[in-house]
Amino acid sequence: MPCLWFFSLFVLGAAAGADAPVLAPETPVEREIAAGESHLFKIELAAGRAWRVAVEQRGIDVTLEVRAPDGRRLAAVDSPTDRQGLETALIAPESSGPYTLEVRAREPAAPPGRYEIQVAEVERRRIAAEQAVSRAGERYLEGGAEARRRALAEQIRAREEWRSLGDRREEARALYALCVLARLVNDNRQALAYGEEVLPLWRSLGDRLWEGNTWNEIGLDRWLLGESAAGRAAFEKALALYRETGDRYGEGVSRSNLCLMDLSRGEIRQGVACYGEAIPILREVQARSLEGSALLNVGRAYDVLGEPERALESYRQVLEGMRAAGDRTGEARTLNHLGLLYRDLGDYQQAFLHFGEALEAFRALEDRRWEAVVLHNLGLLYQALGEPSRALSQYEQALRLRREVGDAEGEATTLTELGRVCSLLGRLRDAQT
């Protein structure tokens, strides 16, 4: 996907658990939760058994943590299914007693949603599958390329176990997770294969919503593989299913993806017009981060169209919204875009200022992928100022980080600029490596 466009297709509760509500096994409890909130529960679990703690997400992405009576963390899981689907942890207590469960909505600026939590004893024949899903969630929560690859391997095991048990819904959930994880480790062809494999399962289950989610994933994979027409067709199928099921959030996401495709194909004004329809939907469902991403793309579009003042207005609107929502990641990415715009306008002082703020924010967030992006942009800025030695330093830092996070496309881009700078400095041997 062209790097021009921004791609986005996610008050603590009581610190102690003394007053946490008590759950009963096999009894589901539903709660509403907002971004940044954390809910604690207690449950008495007997030793010598296996227990599945499951949180069904209903419109908001949450993580799940389980702690032993002595406070030790037994499991902390997350899944790649965004605001829907299950978070599950398998627990085999060594001793009987009160266990603490924590449900946390960590994503800033996310719209509020609901979840249902339930604890149930696991049949012996299902333990292996549940263990694999739980381990996949732990690895995914760790973050990073290697952890995602390990999560992928665990989900493959889970899928095999569910299939051997004949549980088609759990197999479908595993396949959908595999579709997302494969793309996150840059295996888009395999991600597409998983997506196409799970589609008939959702249809046989009559689950139109998850069929729509899968078409959206297939659209992303087709697009990333350079199959634009097929990608657009998949997004349009997702959009139709979201409308059918009344999922306004999904409708906003799929429509935004179609807008992004317009921009990537150079149909800039059509893309801006498309966002004119998508942004009100994202605003309606309070998807602030996605709305911010859309406004960033609109700003970049105006920049490409040679309308910098309108671009600046759009970026400032995004920055204000991200800061108001406490979305540090969105704020940092917007600062990076502002740096790019000021660089293009020749206001290098403002460019350095905004890149510097963005770099500081990404380091505080420990987001090495985006830290590398900003370092690369700083290298370009020093290059434009005729300071190749300082540009070289930025590129070398960016290259190291891009290799660490497994960003092959970014690594190639930085290597190209590194070669140019080495040539300018007379380091011809380095430029050739």
Side-chain angles (χ1 to χ4, degrees):
M1 183 192 66
C3 61
L4 178 64
W5 308 111
F6 183 76
F7 190 23
S8 182
L9 292 164
F10 138 342
V11 182
L12 296 179
D19 299 324
V22 178
L23 297 178
E26 314 291 345
T27 304
V29 172
E30 187 174 3
R31 289 284 187 274
E32 185 173 329
I33 192 169
E37 288 186 344
S38 176
H39 294 176
L40 298 179
F41 299 90
K42 289 286 189 182
I43 187 166
E44 289 281 340
L45 295 180
R49 303 178 184 179
W51 301 89
R52 180 202 200 214
V53 183
V55 176
E56 182 183 351
Q57 302 165 127
R58 296 175 177 171
I60 191 165
D61 187 19
V62 302
T63 61
L64 169 65
E65 184 173 310
V66 182
R67 290 191 290 274
D70 62 5
R72 288 181 298 113
R73 189 171 79 173
L74 299 179
V77 300
D78 190 16
S79 70
T81 56
D82 193 28
R83 65 190 182 90
Q84 297 165 333
L86 289 174
E87 304 289 355
T88 65
L90 184 72
I91 305 299
E94 297 177 355
S95 59
S96 301
Y99 286 73
T100 303
L101 316 177
E102 180 179 15
V103 179
R104 182 186 297 269
R106 300 191 309 161
E107 182 184 357
R114 302 184 70 83
Y115 66 89
E116 182 181 276
I117 184 168
Q118 183 175 12
V119 181
E121 188 171 356
V122 179
E123 299 175 40
R124 183 176 299 276
R125 67 190 184 94
R126 297 173 67 89
I127 288 177
E130 294 287 2
Q131 281 179 331
V133 175
S134 186
R135 286 194 297 261
E138 291 181 46
R139 300 292 82 76
Y140 181 75
L141 184 59
E142 290 174 7
E146 180 55 33
R148 287 170 176 171
R149 281 189 283 269
R150 293 169 66 189
L152 183 73
E154 293 293 350
Q155 283 289 3
I156 290 173
R157 294 189 187 96
R159 184 274 174 98
E160 292 170 350
E161 293 288 343
W162 293 129
R163 185 166 53 180
S164 69
L165 291 168
D167 192 324
R168 293 171 65 79
R169 180 163 292 278
E170 292 296 348
E171 182 186 356
R173 286 172 174 157
L175 273 169
Y176 182 87
L178 285 169
C179 174
V180 179
L181 288 167
R183 187 174 63 253
L184 290 175
V185 298
N186 300 314
D187 192 347
N188 299 314
R189 183 62 64 186
Q190 184 60 62
L192 176 60
Y194 286 132
E196 292 180 331
E197 188 175 358
V198 75
L199 267 180
L201 277 176
W202 293 131
R203 288 174 184 150
S204 69
L205 293 165
D207 199 323
R208 303 288 277 171
L209 176 61
W210 280 97
E211 184 183 345
N213 289 339
T214 303
W215 274 118
N216 189 66
E217 297 299 323
I218 288 173
L220 294 174
D221 294 324
R222 290 286 189 191
W223 183 20
L224 291 170
L225 288 167
E227 302 170 15
S228 297
R232 173 171 286 277
F235 287 142
E236 287 173 346
K237 288 179 181 178
L239 181 60
L241 286 164
Y242 287 135
R243 285 172 173 165
E244 176 187 323
T245 57
D247 187 338
R248 291 287 279 171
Y249 182 98
E251 183 180 345
V253 169
S254 57
R255 186 177 288 278
S256 294
N257 288 339
L258 286 166
C259 302
L260 193 55
M261 288 197 75
D262 289 337
L263 297 181
S264 69
R265 293 186 306 177
E267 298 172 358
I268 308 302
R269 293 201 181 277
Q270 182 174 322
V272 171
C274 176
Y275 274 123
E277 298 179 1
I279 289 173
I281 298 175
L282 298 173
R283 192 167 293 149
E284 172 194 326
V285 298
Q286 301 179 52
R288 296 184 183 91
S289 291
L290 292 175
E291 180 189 347
S293 299
L295 286 167
L296 278 176
N297 286 332
V298 170
R300 187 59 178 156
Y302 283 131
D303 189 13
V304 171
L305 290 169
E307 302 179 38
E309 292 304 319
R310 297 185 74 175
L312 197 58
E313 178 186 352
S314 185
Y315 289 156
R316 285 172 175 165
Q317 185 179 349
V318 178
L319 189 61
E320 180 181 346
M322 293 297 181
R323 284 175 171 165
D327 186 346
R328 284 288 283 159
T329 297
E331 178 186 348
R333 292 179 180 181
T334 307
L335 287 166
N336 177 67
H337 279 264
L338 278 164
L340 290 170
L341 179 58
Y342 280 119
R343 184 199 65 190
D344 293 343
L345 291 170
D347 190 340
Y348 296 139
Q349 182 177 355
Q350 284 295 320
F352 274 119
L353 176 65
H354 286 83
F355 282 143
E357 290 183 24
L359 188 62
E360 181 181 350
F362 285 127
R363 283 173 173 166
L365 292 164
E366 298 183 357
D367 190 331
R368 293 181 298 164
R369 181 178 293 270
W370 272 89
E371 181 184 345
V373 170
V374 180
L375 286 166
H376 180 93
N377 289 337
L378 280 167
L380 292 171
L381 189 54
Y382 280 122
Q383 226 173 314
L385 288 168
E387 299 184 40
S389 295
R390 301 184 77 172
L392 179 65
S393 174
Q394 304 300 313
Y395 290 142
E396 287 176 338
Q397 293 178 68
L399 183 63
R400 175 179 56 80
L401 289 173
R402 283 178 155 166
R403 284 173 171 167
E404 286 180 7
V405 301
D407 183 0
E409 183 179 352
E411 179 183 343
T413 302
T414 299
L415 278 170
T416 298
E417 297 303 328
L418 199 58
R420 291 193 179 113
V421 169
C422 286
S423 295
L424 289 171
L425 293 170
R427 294 168 53 172
L428 298 181
R429 181 174 297 178
D430 292 338
Q432 294 169 354
T433 59

